[in-house]
Amino acid sequence: MNPDTDLRYVIPDRLADISEGVLSNDAFDYEEGTDAMLIYLSTHNVDAALPFVINVLENEAIYDNRLADSAKVGISLLDETERPADFVVVYPSAEAGARMG
């Protein structure tokens, strides 16, 4: 078990479970030039999905880590995105509106 790489499975599975399918796993990647893992999720209802993501980040310890301390959440309404800059930050609120990447 490698907690760093296992996050790519644990987080999407947890979110799909608690959201009762509102969120689903869409892929993962690593940000170019950094060690940051990008976990992509899919939903048909961003307004319903976002509270589940924020709740897990702020209130659940995954592998004994509080993810809110280092996570960013970005959204894109595009079906296909080419780069992290296609996403607009929605969490943390201090960075809301900025482009990712």
Side-chain angles (χ1 to χ4, degrees):
M1 178 168 94
N2 182 339
D4 291 336
T5 56
D6 288 350
L7 291 174
R8 70 180 184 244
Y9 302 111
V10 173
I11 293 170
D13 288 351
R14 177 67 181 138
L15 289 167
D17 183 47
I18 65 170
S19 73
E20 297 181 349
V22 171
L23 285 156
S24 61
N25 188 357
D26 200 26
F28 84 98
D29 200 355
Y30 292 93
E31 185 175 57
E32 192 172 313
T34 75
D35 293 331
M37 181 183 292
L38 306 172
I39 298 174
Y40 298 96
L41 303 165
S42 180
T43 186
H44 293 290
N45 187 339
V46 172
D47 292 333
L50 193 55
F52 290 109
V53 175
I54 293 170
N55 182 57
V56 166
L57 291 176
E58 293 184 345
N59 299 308
E60 294 191 24
I62 298 180
Y63 296 127
D64 296 322
N65 290 298
R66 182 176 178 269
L67 300 175
D69 295 336
S70 60
K72 286 186 186 180
V73 177
I75 62 169
S76 173
L77 301 179
L78 304 174
D79 289 335
E80 296 285 330
T81 56
E82 303 270 333
R83 59 198 184 282
D86 292 333
F87 293 83
V88 175
V89 174
V90 294
Y91 181 90
S93 60
E95 296 182 40
R99 293 281 179 186
M100 296 191 73

